[in-house]
Amino acid sequence: MRKKHSLPFVLLIQITGWLVLIEVEARLYAQKPPLEQIRELILYANYPEAISQARLLLERNDLDARTRNQLLELLAIAQIADRDMQAARETLELLYRRDPGHVLSDPDASPPVIAAFAQAREAQKKPISVRLIHRPPRIQNREAIPIEVRFREGGDAVAEVRVSYRFEGESSWTQVIAAPHGDAFVARLPVVGPPDRSIRLEYTILALAPSGFVLVQSGTSEEPLVAEIPPLISETPNPTPTAPSAPPSNSGSILEEWWFWAIVGGIALAGAGITALVIATNQTTSGTIGTVEPMR
């Protein structure tokens, strides 16, 4: 005969299975990104917990602009679903001040949520104050030109920095996206043009919200920022021409040398001896045997 299990034993097996399933779901939930966790809480109508987690995450200082705006959107949705309309209006006002071009990303949002977001967007509150810090670069060679941008305030609302530039003589502008680098955005512009003369660089800076809305701009196409690129200088300078050597000084004249006068004296003495000999040979000698005239 087949043995039947008692009812308490069957309930124990079922409860154990439920506990295991809950534990597995909890582990899977913990592995999801924070935004996905909040979305799941809203999906299962756990609005107070979703609101609590969203506010806790918004206190962090390491969130980029896009993540922060998505958290504000989820927080507003949870507040509307929880029927806290005053808090939802405050959240939406902050969201659209940070990004006036924000668009609701939930395609399955309820009509009250869609209406609240549309109303907040049409209100057109003044965007938050964003102040950038930039100094024209000091260019000393023909390497890539670094354009560095920092923010004095409102930087956590900036998702992207774009630099438009052109060189002297160009009619069109080229646009590059600055890469995040620590607490700054840095764009590197290639240098073109003749290396033997200076070049004028004109550029503008745009700081954008996640939707592409321009939060702050520095420089315009009519009055751009300007940097001067110096001519390329050779690393080995031209040698300095040397002055011609001066002619030797006359201070050491031959007339001051002893050997010169010794030679002159010897020549003089030799000449005197030859003269005396000639004179002596021209005289007539007389004797007893007659007159003898020496042979010339």
Side-chain angles (χ1 to χ4, degrees):
M1 257 183 101
R2 189 174 180 181
K3 186 178 181 181
K4 295 183 178 180
H5 296 290
S6 62
L7 182 60
F9 181 77
V10 173
L11 291 176
L12 180 62
I13 295 297
Q14 292 179 347
I15 292 173
T16 303
W18 291 338
L19 291 175
V20 171
L21 182 60
I22 291 173
E23 184 179 358
V24 171
E25 290 182 350
R27 290 181 179 180
L28 293 175
Y29 175 82
Q31 293 175 358
K32 293 181 179 179
L35 291 177
E36 293 299 324
Q37 294 179 12
I38 296 174
R39 286 192 180 96
E40 190 168 313
L41 290 172
I42 294 174
L43 179 64
Y44 288 101
N46 193 351
Y47 305 127
E49 182 64 20
I51 293 171
S52 176
Q53 288 198 21
R55 285 177 172 169
L56 185 62
L57 285 173
L58 286 170
E59 294 178 359
R60 293 172 52 174
N61 297 323
D62 59 344
L63 300 177
D64 58 58
R66 198 174 306 277
T67 302
R68 187 172 293 275
N69 287 4
Q70 289 175 349
L71 275 172
L72 288 172
E73 177 183 303
L74 291 175
L75 175 60
I77 292 174
Q79 289 168 336
I80 294 170
D82 201 37
R83 301 179 183 273
D84 191 352
M85 298 306 298
Q86 178 61 33
R89 281 192 290 269
E90 294 176 358
T91 302
L92 289 173
E93 179 181 345
L94 175 58
L95 172 60
Y96 281 98
R97 287 190 64 219
R98 290 173 53 85
D99 188 356
H102 180 80
V103 177
L104 180 63
S105 61
D106 186 0
D108 301 322
S110 64
V113 171
I114 295 174
F117 273 75
Q119 183 180 359
R121 184 172 185 178
E122 291 173 359
Q124 289 294 326
K125 297 292 183 179
K126 183 180 179 181
I128 65 172
S129 176
V130 179
R131 298 175 60 188
L132 64 82
I133 304 173
H134 169 70
R135 294 180 180 178
R138 296 181 61 184
I139 307 169
Q140 299 179 348
N141 49 42
R142 289 301 176 96
E143 297 179 355
I145 305 170
I147 304 297
E148 187 172 298
V149 180
R150 285 184 168 84
F151 294 94
R152 190 183 304 275
E153 62 176 317
D156 63 346
V158 176
E160 189 173 272
V161 173
R162 298 179 184 177
V163 179
S164 298
Y165 69 95
R166 67 181 179 184
F167 293 100
E168 183 179 359
E170 296 179 344
S171 58
S172 60
W173 294 80
T174 302
Q175 189 175 88
V176 297
I177 298 176
H181 186 73
D183 61 344
F185 290 82
V186 180
R188 299 190 179 276
L189 312 182
V191 181
V192 297
D196 58 343
R197 65 181 181 87
S198 61
I199 305 172
R200 177 185 172 92
L201 169 67
E202 299 178 346
Y203 62 101
T204 64
I205 300 173
L206 298 177
L208 310 177
S211 69
F213 182 87
V214 178
L215 295 172
V216 66
Q217 178 173 356
S218 181
T220 64
S221 57
E222 292 78 17
E223 296 182 0
L225 304 173
V226 176
E228 293 291 336
I229 305 173
L232 185 62
I233 301 176
S234 175
E235 297 182 356
T236 56
N238 295 330
T240 304
T242 56
S245 57
S249 175
N250 292 332
S251 58
S253 175
I254 195 173
L255 299 178
E256 299 178 0
E257 301 295 336
W258 64 271
W259 49 266
F260 173 77
W261 292 108
I263 294 174
V264 172
I267 294 174
L269 290 176
I274 294 171
T275 303
L277 178 59
V278 170
I279 295 175
T281 54
N282 285 335
Q283 293 179 352
T284 303
T285 303
S286 300
T288 56
I289 59 174
T291 300
V292 178
E293 184 177 352
M295 181 177 60
R296 296 181 183 178

